[in-house]
């Protein structure tokens, strides 16, 4: 599942896209009708080529593929006519170079070998609106790709909550259909969401194609991907970006010294208190992070990690999960260098426990790579450790080559040193 957030430019005061946040926070691993689900959120991907690379990677993976797109559609001010999904920095004057052409998205999804579904909750500016209306009626917005969703005009004031269609659709996915099979019928779910959302007269509904078994029915007795509790413990790692994605000056928690379980001199008093379950703590942590209380969220996660370290040990999966939570919180707070370091720690731990075939290890490494790309002048410092991890993973040659190229470019662009 790929969550692509096409919000134009947060650096100019645009609020983070609440629709993308709603999808990312709704345990999206349960939505896909597959035995194993990889969730990637692209909340602020820089440039169309980067977005295209993520799309191509997702399209190359076998099995069902769900791409959920939100944000704004634009057409270039000059030589207009081709719809683009706005990305950070996009304006009508620059979207031709900074936005993702909608045709690129469709062509990439057409190449996917398995079932595919494109869900959209979009807005379109005034110049793009005629193209949206025309493309929705003729099918040009889909071009053979199963497409369901809505497009609305740009509201006069940025929305502070997810769009009504997405809220209704998420509710339909959460409840499922007790009378249906393991996979939901997408047109039925789409109509159910439209009825519940009660869209206005300006909303353009999108419904094209016949998708295969992509959406899981949580109400079915036999689901295609039953989620055991341990696997569902860490939902915030959507990296979303990696994660997640949006998909982000953060709190820098002082790094504790390595904790060796158990404490050599335990207090002789009460019986040990069970560590709180991650599912019990995560809602409060996420609520604090989404409300901008990043110090509070990071402190709660660090405290939970310490409890897991004392109870299970530094090399345990339970402690590793909290490292991933802290990594995701650092990314949400905008501290990409710290997030990259934590994701690398998580990836190394998973590789050490399960080896390079572990899909979760690869997912953590991808999130580390994403955060590293957004680490600014800290990227050269972090590059060697990231490169060493990619060299341990089969098929990591492309990512390793990308790191080497970035390092070479940094060296070539570095100012010359002057000897005195």
């Amino acid at each position: 599942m790929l969550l692509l957030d096409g919000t134009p430019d947060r650096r100019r005061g645009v609020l983070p896209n609440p629709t993308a946040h709603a999808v990312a926070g709704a345990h999206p691993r349960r939505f896909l009708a597959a035995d194993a689900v990889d969730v990637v959120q692209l909340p602020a991907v820089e440039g169309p080529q980067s977005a295209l690379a993520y799309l191509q990677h997702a399209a190359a993976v076998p099995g069902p593929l769900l791409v959920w797109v939100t944000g704004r559609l634009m057409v270039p001010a000059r030589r207009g006519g081709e719809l683009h999904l706005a990305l950070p920095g996009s304006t009508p004057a620059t979207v031709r170079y900074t936005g993702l052409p909608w045709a690129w998205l469709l062509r990439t999804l057409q190449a996917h070998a398995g079932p595919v579904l494109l869900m959209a909750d979009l807005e379109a500016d005034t110049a793009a609106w005629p193209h949206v209306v025309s493309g929705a009626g003729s099918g040009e917005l889909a071009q053979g790709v199963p497409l369901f969703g809505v497009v609305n005009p740009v509201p006069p004031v940025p929305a502070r909550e997810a769009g009504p269609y997405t809220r209704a659709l998420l509710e339909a996915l959460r409840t499922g259909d007790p009378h249906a099979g393991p996979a939901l019928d997408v047109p039925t779910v789409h109509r159910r969401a439209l009825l519940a959302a009660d869209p206005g007269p300006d909303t353009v509904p999108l419904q094209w194609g016949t998708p295969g078994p992509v959406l899981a029915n949580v109400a079915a007795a036999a689901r295609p991907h039953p989620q055991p509790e341990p696997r569902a413990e860490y939902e915030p790692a959507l990296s979303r970006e990696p994660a997640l994605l949006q998909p982000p000056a953060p709190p820098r928690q002082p790094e504790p010294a390595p904790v060796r379980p158990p404490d050599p001199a335990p207090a002789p008093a009460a019986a040990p208190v069970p560590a709180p379950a991650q599912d019990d703590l995560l809602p409060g942590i996420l609520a604090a992070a989404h409300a901008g209380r990043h110090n509070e969220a990071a402190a709660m996660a660090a405290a939970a990690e310490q409890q897991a370290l004392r109870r299970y040990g530094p090399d345990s999966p339970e402690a590793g999960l909290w490292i991933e939570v802290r990594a995701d919180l650092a990314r949400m707070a905008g501290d990409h260098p710290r997030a990259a370091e934590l994701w690398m720690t998580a990836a190394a731990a998973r590789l050490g426990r399960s080896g390079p075939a572990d899909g979760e290890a690869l997912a953590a490494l991808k999130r580390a790579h994403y955060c590293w790309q957004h680490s600014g002048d800290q990227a050269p410092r972090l590059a060697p450790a990231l490169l060493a991890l990619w060299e341990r993973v089969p098929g990591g040659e492309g990512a390793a080559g990308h790191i080497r190229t970035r390092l070479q470019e940094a060296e070539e662009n570095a100012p010359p040193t002057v000897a005195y």
Side-chain angles (χ1 to χ4, degrees), residues 37-352:
V37 180
D38 188 17
V39 180
V40 177
Q41 183 186 6
L42 308 182
V45 64
E46 294 288 344
Q49 295 294 342
S50 295
L52 180 62
Y54 277 105
L55 285 164
Q56 289 173 335
H57 178 76
V61 176
L65 172 63
L66 171 60
V67 179
W68 200 312
V69 184
T70 183
R72 184 173 302 177
L73 294 173
M74 294 181 177
V75 293
R78 294 184 178 180
R79 302 179 185 177
E82 184 180 9
L83 281 172
H84 288 65
L85 181 68
L87 297 174
S90 293
T91 65
T94 65
V95 72
R96 184 164 174 246
Y97 308 102
T98 61
L100 176 69
W102 190 255
W104 289 13
L105 170 66
L106 297 178
R107 279 201 302 269
T108 305
L109 298 186
Q110 288 168 358
H112 181 61
V116 63
L117 173 60
L118 177 59
M119 301 295 308
D121 191 343
L122 297 160
E123 59 186 36
D125 64 14
T126 304
W129 191 254
H131 302 277
V132 169
V133 174
S134 172
S138 66
E140 283 299 307
L141 279 181
Q143 294 184 17
V145 175
L147 169 64
F148 292 79
V150 293
V151 185
N152 291 289
V154 176
V157 178
R160 293 185 176 271
E161 63 176 0
Y165 174 80
T166 290
R167 296 201 307 270
L169 187 63
L170 290 176
E171 182 60 28
L173 293 176
R174 287 190 193 101
T175 57
D177 184 352
H179 305 293
L184 291 171
D185 179 67
V186 177
T188 300
V189 176
H190 170 70
R191 289 192 295 270
R192 179 177 163 188
L194 281 178
L195 287 172
D198 190 21
D202 293 333
T203 298
V204 175
L206 305 173
Q207 180 173 344
W208 283 95
T210 305
V214 176
L215 296 180
N217 181 14
V218 299
R223 290 191 292 273
H225 65 298
Q227 288 282 359
E229 285 305 314
R231 181 174 179 81
E233 280 184 343
Y234 182 49
E235 294 296 344
L238 299 178
S239 255
R240 283 185 206 185
E241 86 239 59
L244 228 33
L245 137 191
Q246 348 236 38
R252 286 185 179 253
Q253 297 297 317
E255 285 300 304
V259 180
R260 291 172 173 77
D263 210 343
V273 178
Q278 193 179 44
D279 285 338
D280 296 337
L281 296 173
L282 280 178
I285 294 174
L286 276 178
H290 288 157
R293 302 194 307 274
H294 298 295
N295 283 324
E296 178 184 338
M300 293 167 65
E305 182 188 2
Q306 288 302 305
Q307 291 193 43
L309 284 167
R310 285 190 288 268
R311 184 172 177 81
Y312 301 106
D315 298 324
S316 64
E318 291 82 0
L321 286 171
W322 281 110
I323 295 175
E324 296 178 352
V325 173
R326 292 175 56 214
D328 220 31
L329 291 174
R331 183 200 57 78
M332 292 173 68
D335 191 354
H336 287 95
R338 184 64 184 138
E341 289 179 316
L342 288 167
W343 276 123
M344 284 191 284
T345 300
R350 285 188 177 275
L351 287 171

